[in-house]
Amino acid sequence: MSSNVGLSTPRGSGTSGYVQRNLSALKPRNDHRAAPYPQDFDSIKHQHRARKPDEGILEHDRQRSIEVKVFELRDRLEDEGVDEEEIEAQTSALREKLLKDGGGGGTGQGAGGKKQQFKPHQVHELAKAKIEESERLRRALGISEDYEEGSHWKRGEEGRNASRRADGGEGGKRDV
């Protein structure tokens, strides 16, 4: 063996004695580069915002679901052999009823008040349901609408700073 690396002799070790570097070892990063995120909480707390649903897309999906139901009725009536005037009357009545009721689904609630399972492509419906759920939870817990996350820590810190100023005016330093 050279350079005093590895086993002095491979005898009895069950290996050939060949030494390799550990390529999976993580090296410490001490290059003092800036972190990929800001260090202060105030700059990052306003970055995360819940995705707002696009009302145009939600309205389009509502109208599309209504038209699907109307088309299904039209198809069924045509298969039964109903005349065209009666088909138009029934489909118009169904369309008006569904428009007045607020749409043919996509509201986030299924039959019987059970939560509807959204498909992965329904991101706007999912965002709307999440906002409604957060609002229900906020009201249930009695959290005010103007609540700011982490504000209770700020109040406590402001109170401590005020008491320090009142005590010595030196920001909390004491003479020993």
Short mmCIF file of all heavy atoms in Angstrom, two decimals, residues 21-28:
data_model
loop_
_atom_site.label_atom_id
_atom_site.label_comp_id
_atom_site.label_asym_id
_atom_site.label_seq_id
_atom_site.Cartn_x
_atom_site.Cartn_y
_atom_site.Cartn_z
N ARG A 21 -12.71 6.69 -3.34
CA ARG A 21 -13.29 7.84 -2.62
C ARG A 21 -14.79 7.65 -2.48
O ARG A 21 -15.42 7.01 -3.32
CB ARG A 21 -13.15 9.18 -3.32
CG ARG A 21 -12.16 9.48 -4.16
CD ARG A 21 -12.15 10.90 -4.70
NE ARG A 21 -13.31 11.23 -5.52
CZ ARG A 21 -13.50 12.39 -6.08
NH1 ARG A 21 -12.63 13.35 -5.90
NH2 ARG A 21 -14.53 12.63 -6.80
N ASN A 22 -15.32 8.26 -1.46
CA ASN A 22 -16.76 8.23 -1.25
C ASN A 22 -17.38 9.39 -2.03
O ASN A 22 -17.31 10.54 -1.62
CB ASN A 22 -17.05 8.36 0.24
CG ASN A 22 -18.52 8.25 0.53
OD1 ASN A 22 -19.34 8.09 -0.37
ND2 ASN A 22 -18.87 8.35 1.80
N LEU A 23 -17.95 9.09 -3.18
CA LEU A 23 -18.53 10.13 -4.03
C LEU A 23 -19.89 10.61 -3.53
O LEU A 23 -20.40 11.61 -4.00
CB LEU A 23 -18.67 9.62 -5.47
CG LEU A 23 -17.35 9.26 -6.14
CD1 LEU A 23 -17.62 8.66 -7.52
CD2 LEU A 23 -16.47 10.48 -6.26
N SER A 24 -20.50 9.92 -2.59
CA SER A 24 -21.82 10.32 -2.10
C SER A 24 -21.74 11.19 -0.85
O SER A 24 -22.76 11.64 -0.34
CB SER A 24 -22.67 9.09 -1.80
OG SER A 24 -22.08 8.35 -0.75
N ALA A 25 -20.54 11.44 -0.36
CA ALA A 25 -20.40 12.27 0.84
C ALA A 25 -20.70 13.72 0.49
O ALA A 25 -20.26 14.23 -0.54
CB ALA A 25 -19.00 12.15 1.40
N LEU A 26 -21.45 14.38 1.35
CA LEU A 26 -21.77 15.79 1.15
C LEU A 26 -20.68 16.64 1.76
O LEU A 26 -20.30 16.47 2.91
CB LEU A 26 -23.12 16.13 1.80
CG LEU A 26 -24.33 15.42 1.22
CD1 LEU A 26 -25.56 15.76 2.05
CD2 LEU A 26 -24.53 15.83 -0.21
N LYS A 27 -20.19 17.58 0.95
CA LYS A 27 -19.16 18.47 1.44
C LYS A 27 -19.82 19.70 2.05
O LYS A 27 -20.81 20.19 1.54
CB LYS A 27 -18.26 18.89 0.29
CG LYS A 27 -17.53 17.72 -0.33
CD LYS A 27 -16.72 18.17 -1.52
CE LYS A 27 -16.07 16.98 -2.18
NZ LYS A 27 -15.40 17.32 -3.42
N PRO A 28 -19.29 20.21 3.16
CA PRO A 28 -19.88 21.41 3.76
C PRO A 28 -19.69 22.61 2.84
O PRO A 28 -18.65 22.76 2.19
CB PRO A 28 -19.12 21.57 5.07
CG PRO A 28 -17.86 20.83 4.86
CD PRO A 28 -18.15 19.72 3.90
#
